[in-house]
Amino acid sequence: MLIKICGLSTPETMEAALAAGADMIGLVLHPKSPRHVTMEQAVELAGIARGKAEIVALIVDWDGTRAAEMAGMLRPDWLQLHGSETPEAVAGLAAASGRQVMKALGIAAADDLGGIARYAGVADRILLDAKPPKDAAYPGGHGRPFDWGLLASLDPALSFMLSGGLDPANIGTAVHVTRPAGVDVSSGVESAPGVKDPARIVEYVAAARKAAASVQEGSSA
């Protein structure tokens, strides 16, 4: 199971995430987010992570030209699309940037699962996140989980990452209930909005690894 720590913004917390064993790190290139980093900061942070974890650039409703320019400077492994990108836009951004693309889909009710099929054949990976509040200034789960039981009806063959309100206390339950291919955390390892806590990162990664191992043992028993 892949573990992604998103919204890292300082060399110190990047080092902490890598030391804890994160498989993927996320850099938020969306100005409205409290976890936003400039391109200069992103390049510095990516340099620390390169070769140690996969680098994910989170963008919101960019066009292909902008994405291609960013990809050339930052050289991420993935683009994480967190806006209202259509399946056609997802395909276009993948082609323009030459990068793998992960599409985030907000989930709040069973009806929201219908969009998965539209993107599953276009995006390289699907990220299921909590749908943001209607008055939210930026996308994402805003530290709140959705009802994981909704995912029971998904095709077991669907490979997805889970996000939205995950933290060291609930990650074990989340993994056992949803059996994701990966988990993505941001605010759940923070001491304040946008401020990552190295101790919470270590605790979270350890709990996620323990849960994944337990699920694997149960599947092979």
Short mmCIF file of all heavy atoms in Angstrom, two decimals, residues 11-67:
data_model
loop_
_atom_site.label_atom_id
_atom_site.label_comp_id
_atom_site.label_asym_id
_atom_site.label_seq_id
_atom_site.Cartn_x
_atom_site.Cartn_y
_atom_site.Cartn_z
N PRO A 11 11.80 22.13 4.06
CA PRO A 11 12.79 21.05 3.97
C PRO A 11 12.74 20.12 5.18
O PRO A 11 12.91 18.90 5.04
CB PRO A 11 14.12 21.80 3.88
CG PRO A 11 13.77 23.12 3.26
CD PRO A 11 12.43 23.46 3.85
N GLU A 12 12.51 20.68 6.36
CA GLU A 12 12.50 19.87 7.58
C GLU A 12 11.38 18.84 7.57
O GLU A 12 11.60 17.66 7.90
CB GLU A 12 12.36 20.78 8.80
CG GLU A 12 13.54 21.70 9.06
CD GLU A 12 13.58 22.89 8.11
OE1 GLU A 12 12.54 23.21 7.50
OE2 GLU A 12 14.67 23.51 7.97
N THR A 13 10.18 19.26 7.20
CA THR A 13 9.08 18.31 7.18
C THR A 13 9.18 17.34 6.00
O THR A 13 8.73 16.20 6.08
CB THR A 13 7.72 19.02 7.17
OG1 THR A 13 7.68 19.98 6.09
CG2 THR A 13 7.50 19.76 8.48
N MET A 14 9.79 17.79 4.91
CA MET A 14 10.04 16.88 3.79
C MET A 14 10.98 15.77 4.23
O MET A 14 10.73 14.58 3.97
CB MET A 14 10.64 17.64 2.61
CG MET A 14 11.02 16.75 1.42
SD MET A 14 9.60 15.93 0.68
CE MET A 14 8.87 17.33 -0.19
N GLU A 15 12.04 16.14 4.92
CA GLU A 15 12.98 15.14 5.42
C GLU A 15 12.30 14.19 6.39
O GLU A 15 12.56 12.97 6.39
CB GLU A 15 14.16 15.83 6.11
CG GLU A 15 15.06 16.65 5.18
CD GLU A 15 16.00 15.81 4.34
OE1 GLU A 15 15.88 14.57 4.34
OE2 GLU A 15 16.85 16.39 3.65
N ALA A 16 11.40 14.72 7.22
CA ALA A 16 10.69 13.88 8.18
C ALA A 16 9.81 12.86 7.46
O ALA A 16 9.74 11.68 7.86
CB ALA A 16 9.84 14.74 9.11
N ALA A 17 9.12 13.30 6.42
CA ALA A 17 8.25 12.40 5.66
C ALA A 17 9.06 11.30 4.98
O ALA A 17 8.66 10.12 4.98
CB ALA A 17 7.44 13.18 4.63
N LEU A 18 10.18 11.67 4.43
CA LEU A 18 11.03 10.68 3.76
C LEU A 18 11.63 9.70 4.76
O LEU A 18 11.66 8.49 4.52
CB LEU A 18 12.14 11.39 2.99
CG LEU A 18 11.69 12.29 1.84
CD1 LEU A 18 12.86 13.10 1.29
CD2 LEU A 18 11.05 11.47 0.71
N ALA A 19 12.08 10.21 5.91
CA ALA A 19 12.65 9.35 6.93
C ALA A 19 11.62 8.38 7.49
O ALA A 19 11.94 7.24 7.86
CB ALA A 19 13.24 10.19 8.06
N ALA A 20 10.36 8.82 7.54
CA ALA A 20 9.29 7.97 8.05
C ALA A 20 8.92 6.86 7.07
O ALA A 20 8.28 5.88 7.45
CB ALA A 20 8.05 8.82 8.36
N GLY A 21 9.30 7.03 5.81
CA GLY A 21 9.04 6.01 4.82
C GLY A 21 7.91 6.30 3.85
O GLY A 21 7.33 5.38 3.27
N ALA A 22 7.58 7.58 3.65
CA ALA A 22 6.53 7.92 2.69
C ALA A 22 6.95 7.49 1.29
O ALA A 22 8.10 7.66 0.89
CB ALA A 22 6.28 9.42 2.72
N ASP A 23 5.98 6.95 0.55
CA ASP A 23 6.24 6.52 -0.83
C ASP A 23 6.06 7.66 -1.82
O ASP A 23 6.69 7.67 -2.89
CB ASP A 23 5.27 5.40 -1.22
CG ASP A 23 5.38 4.20 -0.30
OD1 ASP A 23 6.44 3.55 -0.30
OD2 ASP A 23 4.41 3.93 0.43
N MET A 24 5.17 8.60 -1.47
CA MET A 24 4.87 9.72 -2.35
C MET A 24 4.78 10.98 -1.50
O MET A 24 4.32 10.94 -0.36
CB MET A 24 3.53 9.50 -3.07
CG MET A 24 3.40 8.18 -3.78
SD MET A 24 1.75 7.94 -4.54
CE MET A 24 1.97 8.87 -6.07
N ILE A 25 5.21 12.10 -2.08
CA ILE A 25 5.08 13.38 -1.40
C ILE A 25 4.35 14.35 -2.33
O ILE A 25 4.52 14.30 -3.55
CB ILE A 25 6.44 13.95 -0.96
CG1 ILE A 25 7.39 14.17 -2.16
CG2 ILE A 25 7.09 13.02 0.05
CD1 ILE A 25 7.30 15.54 -2.78
N GLY A 26 3.49 15.18 -1.74
CA GLY A 26 2.68 16.09 -2.53
C GLY A 26 3.05 17.54 -2.32
O GLY A 26 3.25 17.98 -1.18
N LEU A 27 3.16 18.28 -3.41
CA LEU A 27 3.46 19.71 -3.39
C LEU A 27 2.25 20.44 -3.96
O LEU A 27 1.84 20.18 -5.10
CB LEU A 27 4.71 20.01 -4.21
CG LEU A 27 5.97 19.24 -3.78
CD1 LEU A 27 7.10 19.46 -4.77
CD2 LEU A 27 6.39 19.66 -2.37
N VAL A 28 1.68 21.33 -3.18
CA VAL A 28 0.43 22.00 -3.56
C VAL A 28 0.73 23.31 -4.29
O VAL A 28 1.28 24.24 -3.72
CB VAL A 28 -0.43 22.28 -2.32
CG1 VAL A 28 -1.71 23.02 -2.72
CG2 VAL A 28 -0.78 20.98 -1.60
N LEU A 29 0.35 23.37 -5.55
CA LEU A 29 0.58 24.56 -6.39
C LEU A 29 -0.74 25.30 -6.62
O LEU A 29 -1.07 25.68 -7.74
CB LEU A 29 1.21 24.14 -7.72
CG LEU A 29 2.53 23.36 -7.60
CD1 LEU A 29 3.01 22.94 -8.98
CD2 LEU A 29 3.59 24.18 -6.89
N HIS A 30 -1.48 25.49 -5.54
CA HIS A 30 -2.77 26.16 -5.60
C HIS A 30 -2.78 27.28 -4.57
O HIS A 30 -2.80 27.01 -3.36
CB HIS A 30 -3.91 25.18 -5.34
CG HIS A 30 -5.28 25.77 -5.52
ND1 HIS A 30 -5.69 26.36 -6.70
CD2 HIS A 30 -6.33 25.87 -4.66
CE1 HIS A 30 -6.93 26.79 -6.57
NE2 HIS A 30 -7.34 26.51 -5.34
N PRO A 31 -2.73 28.54 -5.00
CA PRO A 31 -2.54 29.67 -4.08
C PRO A 31 -3.55 29.79 -2.95
O PRO A 31 -3.23 30.33 -1.90
CB PRO A 31 -2.61 30.88 -5.01
CG PRO A 31 -2.22 30.36 -6.35
CD PRO A 31 -2.77 28.97 -6.41
N LYS A 32 -4.77 29.29 -3.16
CA LYS A 32 -5.79 29.45 -2.11
C LYS A 32 -5.60 28.48 -0.95
O LYS A 32 -6.22 28.64 0.10
CB LYS A 32 -7.18 29.28 -2.72
CG LYS A 32 -7.57 30.40 -3.67
CD LYS A 32 -9.00 30.22 -4.18
CE LYS A 32 -9.40 31.36 -5.10
NZ LYS A 32 -10.78 31.21 -5.61
N SER A 33 -4.77 27.48 -1.13
CA SER A 33 -4.55 26.50 -0.08
C SER A 33 -3.53 27.01 0.95
O SER A 33 -2.53 27.64 0.57
CB SER A 33 -4.02 25.20 -0.68
OG SER A 33 -3.58 24.32 0.35
N PRO A 34 -3.73 26.72 2.24
CA PRO A 34 -2.75 27.09 3.24
C PRO A 34 -1.45 26.29 3.10
O PRO A 34 -0.46 26.61 3.77
CB PRO A 34 -3.45 26.77 4.57
CG PRO A 34 -4.49 25.76 4.23
CD PRO A 34 -4.94 26.09 2.84
N ARG A 35 -1.45 25.31 2.22
CA ARG A 35 -0.26 24.48 2.00
C ARG A 35 0.45 24.84 0.70
O ARG A 35 1.35 24.13 0.25
CB ARG A 35 -0.66 23.00 2.01
CG ARG A 35 -1.27 22.62 3.35
CD ARG A 35 -2.10 21.35 3.33
NE ARG A 35 -2.81 21.26 4.62
CZ ARG A 35 -4.02 21.76 4.85
NH1 ARG A 35 -4.69 22.36 3.86
NH2 ARG A 35 -4.57 21.69 6.03
N HIS A 36 0.04 25.93 0.11
CA HIS A 36 0.61 26.35 -1.17
C HIS A 36 2.10 26.64 -1.07
O HIS A 36 2.57 27.24 -0.09
CB HIS A 36 -0.11 27.62 -1.66
CG HIS A 36 0.53 28.26 -2.85
ND1 HIS A 36 1.21 29.46 -2.76
CD2 HIS A 36 0.59 27.89 -4.15
CE1 HIS A 36 1.66 29.79 -3.96
NE2 HIS A 36 1.29 28.85 -4.80
N VAL A 37 2.85 26.22 -2.08
CA VAL A 37 4.26 26.57 -2.20
C VAL A 37 4.48 27.22 -3.56
O VAL A 37 3.78 26.91 -4.53
CB VAL A 37 5.19 25.35 -2.04
CG1 VAL A 37 5.17 24.84 -0.61
CG2 VAL A 37 4.82 24.23 -3.02
N THR A 38 5.45 28.12 -3.62
CA THR A 38 5.80 28.75 -4.89
C THR A 38 6.56 27.74 -5.74
O THR A 38 7.03 26.71 -5.25
CB THR A 38 6.69 29.97 -4.65
OG1 THR A 38 7.93 29.53 -4.08
CG2 THR A 38 6.02 30.97 -3.71
N MET A 39 6.73 28.04 -7.01
CA MET A 39 7.47 27.14 -7.87
C MET A 39 8.92 27.00 -7.38
O MET A 39 9.50 25.91 -7.39
CB MET A 39 7.44 27.65 -9.31
CG MET A 39 8.14 26.72 -10.30
SD MET A 39 7.46 25.03 -10.32
CE MET A 39 5.81 25.36 -10.91
N GLU A 40 9.50 28.10 -6.92
CA GLU A 40 10.88 28.06 -6.40
C GLU A 40 10.97 27.11 -5.20
O GLU A 40 11.88 26.29 -5.10
CB GLU A 40 11.33 29.46 -5.99
CG GLU A 40 12.76 29.51 -5.50
CD GLU A 40 13.21 30.92 -5.13
OE1 GLU A 40 12.36 31.83 -5.11
OE2 GLU A 40 14.41 31.10 -4.86
N GLN A 41 10.00 27.22 -4.28
CA GLN A 41 9.98 26.32 -3.12
C GLN A 41 9.75 24.88 -3.55
O GLN A 41 10.38 23.96 -3.02
CB GLN A 41 8.87 26.75 -2.16
CG GLN A 41 9.11 28.05 -1.43
CD GLN A 41 7.88 28.47 -0.62
OE1 GLN A 41 6.76 28.51 -1.15
NE2 GLN A 41 8.08 28.77 0.65
N ALA A 42 8.84 24.69 -4.51
CA ALA A 42 8.53 23.35 -4.97
C ALA A 42 9.75 22.67 -5.58
O ALA A 42 10.00 21.48 -5.33
CB ALA A 42 7.39 23.39 -5.98
N VAL A 43 10.50 23.40 -6.36
CA VAL A 43 11.71 22.84 -6.98
C VAL A 43 12.72 22.43 -5.91
O VAL A 43 13.34 21.36 -5.99
CB VAL A 43 12.33 23.85 -7.96
CG1 VAL A 43 13.72 23.40 -8.40
CG2 VAL A 43 11.43 24.04 -9.18
N GLU A 44 12.87 23.26 -4.88
CA GLU A 44 13.79 22.93 -3.79
C GLU A 44 13.33 21.66 -3.06
O GLU A 44 14.13 20.75 -2.79
CB GLU A 44 13.87 24.08 -2.79
CG GLU A 44 14.75 23.77 -1.57
CD GLU A 44 14.68 24.82 -0.49
OE1 GLU A 44 13.85 25.74 -0.59
OE2 GLU A 44 15.46 24.70 0.49
N LEU A 45 12.05 21.58 -2.76
CA LEU A 45 11.52 20.43 -2.03
C LEU A 45 11.58 19.16 -2.88
O LEU A 45 11.90 18.08 -2.37
CB LEU A 45 10.08 20.72 -1.60
CG LEU A 45 9.93 21.83 -0.54
CD1 LEU A 45 8.47 22.24 -0.43
CD2 LEU A 45 10.47 21.38 0.81
N ALA A 46 11.30 19.31 -4.16
CA ALA A 46 11.37 18.15 -5.05
C ALA A 46 12.79 17.62 -5.13
O ALA A 46 13.00 16.40 -5.24
CB ALA A 46 10.86 18.53 -6.44
N GLY A 47 13.76 18.52 -5.07
CA GLY A 47 15.15 18.11 -5.11
C GLY A 47 15.52 17.23 -3.92
O GLY A 47 16.33 16.30 -4.02
N ILE A 48 14.92 17.50 -2.77
CA ILE A 48 15.17 16.70 -1.58
C ILE A 48 14.56 15.31 -1.73
O ILE A 48 15.15 14.31 -1.32
CB ILE A 48 14.58 17.39 -0.33
CG1 ILE A 48 15.28 18.73 -0.09
CG2 ILE A 48 14.70 16.51 0.90
CD1 ILE A 48 14.62 19.59 0.99
N ALA A 49 13.39 15.26 -2.34
CA ALA A 49 12.66 13.99 -2.44
C ALA A 49 13.07 13.12 -3.62
O ALA A 49 12.85 11.90 -3.58
CB ALA A 49 11.16 14.28 -2.53
N ARG A 50 13.63 13.72 -4.63
CA ARG A 50 13.86 12.98 -5.87
C ARG A 50 14.74 11.74 -5.62
O ARG A 50 15.79 11.83 -5.00
CB ARG A 50 14.51 13.88 -6.92
CG ARG A 50 14.32 13.35 -8.34
CD ARG A 50 14.82 14.34 -9.39
NE ARG A 50 14.31 15.70 -9.18
CZ ARG A 50 13.10 16.10 -9.52
NH1 ARG A 50 12.25 15.23 -10.08
NH2 ARG A 50 12.72 17.34 -9.32
N GLY A 51 14.27 10.62 -6.13
CA GLY A 51 14.99 9.38 -5.96
C GLY A 51 14.66 8.65 -4.66
O GLY A 51 15.09 7.52 -4.46
N LYS A 52 13.92 9.33 -3.78
CA LYS A 52 13.56 8.73 -2.49
C LYS A 52 12.05 8.46 -2.39
O LYS A 52 11.63 7.56 -1.67
CB LYS A 52 13.99 9.65 -1.35
CG LYS A 52 15.49 9.93 -1.33
CD LYS A 52 15.84 10.99 -0.28
CE LYS A 52 17.31 11.33 -0.33
NZ LYS A 52 17.65 12.44 0.63
N ALA A 53 11.27 9.27 -3.07
CA ALA A 53 9.82 9.10 -3.09
C ALA A 53 9.30 9.70 -4.39
O ALA A 53 9.96 10.54 -5.00
CB ALA A 53 9.16 9.79 -1.90
N GLU A 54 8.12 9.27 -4.82
CA GLU A 54 7.52 9.84 -6.01
C GLU A 54 7.00 11.25 -5.70
O GLU A 54 6.44 11.50 -4.62
CB GLU A 54 6.37 8.97 -6.51
CG GLU A 54 6.84 7.65 -7.08
CD GLU A 54 5.71 6.90 -7.77
OE1 GLU A 54 4.85 6.37 -7.06
OE2 GLU A 54 5.70 6.86 -9.02
N ILE A 55 7.19 12.15 -6.63
CA ILE A 55 6.84 13.56 -6.45
C ILE A 55 5.53 13.84 -7.16
O ILE A 55 5.37 13.55 -8.35
CB ILE A 55 7.96 14.46 -7.01
CG1 ILE A 55 9.27 14.19 -6.26
CG2 ILE A 55 7.57 15.93 -6.91
CD1 ILE A 55 10.51 14.69 -6.98
N VAL A 56 4.59 14.42 -6.42
CA VAL A 56 3.26 14.70 -6.95
C VAL A 56 3.02 16.21 -6.90
O VAL A 56 3.15 16.83 -5.85
CB VAL A 56 2.17 13.98 -6.12
CG1 VAL A 56 0.79 14.23 -6.72
CG2 VAL A 56 2.46 12.48 -6.04
N ALA A 57 2.65 16.78 -8.02
CA ALA A 57 2.31 18.20 -8.10
C ALA A 57 0.81 18.34 -8.14
O ALA A 57 0.15 17.86 -9.07
CB ALA A 57 2.93 18.84 -9.35
N LEU A 58 0.24 18.99 -7.13
CA LEU A 58 -1.21 19.17 -7.05
C LEU A 58 -1.61 20.48 -7.71
O LEU A 58 -1.15 21.55 -7.32
CB LEU A 58 -1.66 19.14 -5.59
CG LEU A 58 -3.17 19.11 -5.32
CD1 LEU A 58 -3.44 18.53 -3.93
CD2 LEU A 58 -3.82 20.49 -5.42
N ILE A 59 -2.46 20.38 -8.72
CA ILE A 59 -2.90 21.56 -9.46
C ILE A 59 -4.43 21.54 -9.58
O ILE A 59 -5.06 20.50 -9.44
CB ILE A 59 -2.25 21.64 -10.85
CG1 ILE A 59 -2.59 20.41 -11.69
CG2 ILE A 59 -0.73 21.80 -10.72
CD1 ILE A 59 -2.02 20.45 -13.11
N VAL A 60 -4.99 22.71 -9.86
CA VAL A 60 -6.44 22.86 -9.93
C VAL A 60 -6.84 23.59 -11.21
O VAL A 60 -6.54 24.78 -11.37
CB VAL A 60 -6.98 23.63 -8.70
CG1 VAL A 60 -8.49 23.82 -8.80
CG2 VAL A 60 -6.62 22.90 -7.41
N ASP A 61 -7.45 22.88 -12.14
CA ASP A 61 -7.99 23.46 -13.37
C ASP A 61 -6.96 24.23 -14.19
O ASP A 61 -7.23 25.33 -14.68
CB ASP A 61 -9.20 24.36 -13.03
CG ASP A 61 -10.37 23.56 -12.48
OD1 ASP A 61 -10.64 22.47 -13.01
OD2 ASP A 61 -11.01 24.04 -11.52
N TRP A 62 -5.80 23.65 -14.36
CA TRP A 62 -4.78 24.24 -15.21
C TRP A 62 -5.03 23.83 -16.67
O TRP A 62 -5.66 22.81 -16.94
CB TRP A 62 -3.40 23.77 -14.80
CG TRP A 62 -2.86 24.41 -13.56
CD1 TRP A 62 -3.56 25.01 -12.55
CD2 TRP A 62 -1.49 24.50 -13.19
NE1 TRP A 62 -2.71 25.47 -11.58
CE2 TRP A 62 -1.44 25.18 -11.93
CE3 TRP A 62 -0.30 24.08 -13.77
CZ2 TRP A 62 -0.23 25.43 -11.27
CZ3 TRP A 62 0.90 24.33 -13.11
CH2 TRP A 62 0.94 25.00 -11.88
N ASP A 63 -4.45 24.61 -17.60
CA ASP A 63 -4.49 24.20 -18.99
C ASP A 63 -3.19 23.44 -19.33
O ASP A 63 -2.25 23.41 -18.54
CB ASP A 63 -4.71 25.39 -19.94
CG ASP A 63 -3.60 26.43 -19.87
OD1 ASP A 63 -2.43 26.08 -19.60
OD2 ASP A 63 -3.90 27.61 -20.08
N GLY A 64 -3.17 22.85 -20.50
CA GLY A 64 -2.04 22.03 -20.88
C GLY A 64 -0.73 22.78 -20.97
O GLY A 64 0.33 22.26 -20.59
N THR A 65 -0.77 24.00 -21.47
CA THR A 65 0.46 24.78 -21.63
C THR A 65 1.10 25.06 -20.28
O THR A 65 2.31 24.88 -20.08
CB THR A 65 0.15 26.11 -22.33
OG1 THR A 65 -0.38 25.84 -23.64
CG2 THR A 65 1.41 26.95 -22.46
N ARG A 66 0.28 25.47 -19.34
CA ARG A 66 0.79 25.77 -18.00
C ARG A 66 1.33 24.51 -17.33
O ARG A 66 2.38 24.53 -16.67
CB ARG A 66 -0.33 26.38 -17.16
CG ARG A 66 0.11 26.91 -15.80
CD ARG A 66 -1.08 27.49 -15.07
NE ARG A 66 -0.71 28.03 -13.76
CZ ARG A 66 -1.59 28.40 -12.83
NH1 ARG A 66 -2.89 28.31 -13.08
NH2 ARG A 66 -1.17 28.85 -11.66
N ALA A 67 0.62 23.41 -17.50
CA ALA A 67 1.06 22.15 -16.90
C ALA A 67 2.37 21.68 -17.51
O ALA A 67 3.25 21.17 -16.79
CB ALA A 67 -0.01 21.08 -17.07
#
